[in-house]
Amino acid sequence: FPGLADVSISQDIPVEGEITVPVGSHSPDEDYSTLDEPVKDTIMRDLKAVGKKFVHVMYPRKSSALLRDWDLWGPLVLCVSLALMLQGGSADSKDDGGPQFAEVFVIIWFGAVVITLNSKLLGGTISFFQSLCVLGYCVMPLTVAMLVCRLVLLVGTGTVSFIIRLIVVGAMFAWSTLASTAFLADSQPPNRKALVVYPIFLFYFVISWMILTFTPQ
Amino acid sequence: MATADDLKFQEFDDAANLLAANPDATTISIDEPIEIPKNQHSRLQEPGREEDDELLGTDDSDKTELLAGQKKSAPFWTFEYYQTFFDVDTYQVLDRIKGSVFPVPGKNFVRLYIRSNPDLYGPFWICATLVFTIAVSGNLSNFFIHLGKPTYHYVPEFRKVSIAATTIYAYAWLVPLALWGFLMWRNSKVMNIVSYSFLEIVCVYGYSLFVYIPTAILWIIPQKVVRWVLMVFSLCLSGSVLVMTFWPAVRDDNRRIAVATVATILLLHALLAVGCLAYFFDAPELDFPAPIIPAHNGTTVVTKSH
């Protein structure tokens, strides 16, 4: 460019300015990057979120926190611990025993996916992972029931222990179903609520049956 | 009534088109099935077919199939396409279940309840419930039968759930597929008045399996006679739903083929029931050790030992 050949910028003229692309919403989370924080902070933040959701399940109220910030860590931990506790059951032959680890895992995850698909196909407005999150977290009362059952079975295996286990599992089953219904029922069309709640009932009933029929070696 | 209004709204296209086409016809509503048209007699081909109008619904069969085609216009790879198969409300599902358990003689299940809105919700969840009901009931009944035996150790028999699931889902989906293929093939040879879409056949089969759920629960009772009476009773109920649905579809065909088709349908249905009873439920009074009590006759001893 001939006209610019003799243009020179003097060294003492400061050249400064701001190069920012105006963004519509500047949420406070993006003001600081989470890349530089200590690892402990990252882990504690996620753990606190998971813990808060456990508390929400224990005292089910209609709160949007469980739905908005979904995560699948809690369901994974619950599912794995439940499947592990269901191992070590009696088996005369490999074929007739209790469910294997993979079977429990598949039942819980595949069942949750099918129920979520069912509610979405019926016209529900909840998102896929939110529903998975709620269904997974509401397995927590049943995991507690499994723990109690194993402890009771350590003490004795007679009729009394069976009645105790029956009552505990029954109560936890009701709790799970009511908790998940409290979270999920609002997002369904009003004249199809029963159609959505029934598969959830069936899902927790099957898990409760697996817990109740667990017999140690 | 609110439900009647909802129904009429849902079948809005149906009724409007029908009434536009032939103002004389009466519309059919689920609440009052007795209103099936009497003034369609004038439009019959043969006077002997009068009572079959209730089964055929001749007037609206073509139009409802056209409308069924219009409803599912979304391409099959979108989510909306599959949502059209779940377009049912709670009371509709309950009505369909009621229609399968209390079959009204002379009323076609498909024409009366499905009416160009076949759903996949009923068949899928009824099959799922049936799978778990049979597995759980079988397990419970075996537990009670073998309760007193000292050598018996309870096992949950979880493998049987997978077997039950495979059997029942295969029956509920493959048999309708075969039947639909067969009916299509016969349709190309003989002009049948009534033809069903694949989904309607799946629907009928799915809802007809509902009566087996309470039957499976009652099969826990460890008496052979009770079990066989229950089996025959439930077979009659669900079989009659199937027969009344499919008889009009094959009636125009060669007599032997029609009878053979209906007989095969019933036979497969009976096989499913008998197979489930035999495999999942141990026979009661199998090898029960006779106690030392002096007996009047053999059976009294065994039943007393429960």
Side-chain angles (χ1 to χ4, degrees), chain A residues 90 92 95-100 103 107 114 118 120-123 191-192 194-195 198-199 206 209-210 213 215, chain B residues 79 82-83 86-90 93 121 124-125 128-129 132 136 139-140 153-160 162:
Chain A
S90 73
D92 292 332
D95 288 335
D96 264 359
Q100 303 296 311
E103 285 172 336
I107 282 188
V114 165
N118 176 67
K120 284 188 79 68
L121 282 168
L122 282 170
N191 47 350
R192 296 180 183 182
L195 295 185
Y198 171 72
V206 170
W209 177 257
M210 287 196 296
T213 59
T215 45
Chain B
F79 194 67
Y82 297 101
Q83 265 187 325
F86 282 77
D87 195 16
V88 278
D89 292 335
T90 309
V93 173
Y121 178 91
F124 183 77
W125 287 109
T129 311
F132 289 115
V136 167
N139 201 233
L140 267 180
H153 188 66
Y154 170 75
V155 285
E157 292 175 325
F158 199 75
R159 280 290 177 279
K160 293 200 169 171
S162 353

Side-chain angles (χ1 to χ4, degrees), chain A residues 143-204:
Chain A
T143 313
V144 167
M146 181 75 222
L147 198 59
V148 169
C149 279
R150 283 212 86 148
L151 292 175
V152 167
L153 280 170
L154 282 178
V155 173
T157 54
T159 315
V160 174
S161 106
F162 175 72
I163 293 181
I164 298 177
R165 282 185 289 141
L166 182 64
I167 294 176
V168 167
V169 170
M172 293 298 158
F173 160 61
W175 195 342
S176 284
T177 313
L178 288 172
S180 62
T181 312
F183 288 119
L184 290 177
D186 280 341
S187 59
Q188 309 306 324
N191 47 350
R192 296 180 183 182
K193 276 207 173 45
L195 295 185
V196 171
V197 168
Y198 171 72
I200 299 178
F201 169 87
L202 187 64
F203 176 62
Y204 289 126

Side-chain angles (χ1 to χ4, degrees), chain B residues 177-254:
Chain B
L177 185 66
L179 188 60
W180 174 74
F182 176 76
L183 287 178
M184 284 293 120
W185 174 59
R186 294 310 299 176
N187 234 353
S188 66
K189 300 204 160 188
V190 176
M191 264 321 291
N192 279 331
I193 298 183
V194 175
S195 66
Y196 297 118
S197 73
F198 172 61
L199 283 171
E200 287 173 344
I201 301 184
V202 167
C203 232
V204 169
Y205 264 87
Y207 280 104
S208 74
L209 285 177
F210 178 82
V211 76
Y212 285 134
I213 294 176
T215 310
I217 297 178
L218 287 175
W219 271 343
I220 297 180
I221 303 174
Q223 299 293 329
K224 236 182 192 156
V225 174
V226 171
R227 285 183 178 178
W228 277 95
V229 164
L230 282 170
M231 155 109 77
V232 167
F233 185 61
S234 62
L235 195 56
C236 284
L237 276 181
S238 58
S240 67
V241 171
L242 289 177
V243 165
M244 283 194 291
T245 305
F246 289 111
W247 180 246
V250 294
R251 184 189 39 216
D252 301 321
D253 209 342
N254 183 355

Side-chain angles (χ1 to χ4, degrees), chain B residues 4-232:
Chain B
D5 286 340
D6 286 347
L7 279 173
K8 283 192 190 127
F9 177 72
Q10 281 226 335
E11 291 148 18
F12 184 63
D13 288 337
D14 219 22
N17 276 350
L18 282 176
L19 286 176
N22 51 343
D24 286 338
T26 330
T27 52
I28 304 174
S29 73
I30 289 185
D31 283 283
E32 293 143 315
I34 316 184
E35 272 180 12
I36 300 293
K38 291 291 179 209
N39 55 358
Q40 279 192 350
H41 289 181
S42 55
R43 314 180 75 261
L44 289 175
Q45 294 93 338
E46 309 163 20
R49 292 258 180 115
E50 284 173 6
E51 75 281 3
D52 299 329
D53 247 358
E54 301 157 350
L55 290 173
L56 293 183
T58 316
D59 274 336
D60 57 337
S61 66
D62 288 339
K63 294 188 179 61
T64 48
E65 281 182 20
L66 267 180
L67 289 165
Q70 284 171 17
K71 256 175 51 175
K72 300 164 177 56
S73 56
F76 68 90
W77 56 84
T78 59
F79 194 67
E80 284 72 28
Y81 176 74
Y82 297 101
Q83 265 187 325
T84 56
F85 301 140
F86 282 77
D87 195 16
V88 278
D89 292 335
T90 309
Y91 71 89
Q92 280 178 313
V93 173
L94 290 177
D95 268 345
R96 291 175 185 193
I97 291 178
K98 205 166 41 126
S100 76
V101 176
F102 304 117
V104 180
K107 299 290 189 292
N108 185 336
F109 182 76
V110 174
R111 288 290 161 237
L112 200 54
Y113 290 106
I114 309 291
R115 292 181 59 75
S116 85
N117 186 20
D119 71 302
L120 286 181
Y121 178 91
F124 183 77
W125 287 109
I126 291 179
C127 288
T129 311
L130 187 60
V131 164
F132 289 115
T133 310
I134 285 192
V136 167
S137 303
N139 201 233
L140 267 180
S141 107
N142 291 351
F143 173 69
F144 285 132
I145 286 177
H146 300 297
L147 189 48
K149 283 164 57 167
T151 55
Y152 176 69
H153 188 66
Y154 170 75
V155 285
E157 292 175 325
F158 199 75
R159 280 290 177 279
K160 293 200 169 171
V161 173
S162 353
I163 297 175
T166 316
T167 317
I168 288 175
Y169 273 102
Y171 177 79
W173 291 84
L174 292 183
V175 172
L177 185 66
L179 188 60
W180 174 74
F182 176 76
L183 287 178
M184 284 293 120
W185 174 59
R186 294 310 299 176
N187 234 353
S188 66
K189 300 204 160 188
V190 176
M191 264 321 291
N192 279 331
I193 298 183
V194 175
S195 66
Y196 297 118
S197 73
F198 172 61
L199 283 171
E200 287 173 344
I201 301 184
V202 167
C203 232
V204 169
Y205 264 87
Y207 280 104
S208 74
L209 285 177
F210 178 82
V211 76
Y212 285 134
I213 294 176
T215 310
I217 297 178
L218 287 175
W219 271 343
I220 297 180
I221 303 174
Q223 299 293 329
K224 236 182 192 156
V225 174
V226 171
R227 285 183 178 178
W228 277 95
V229 164
L230 282 170
M231 155 109 77
V232 167

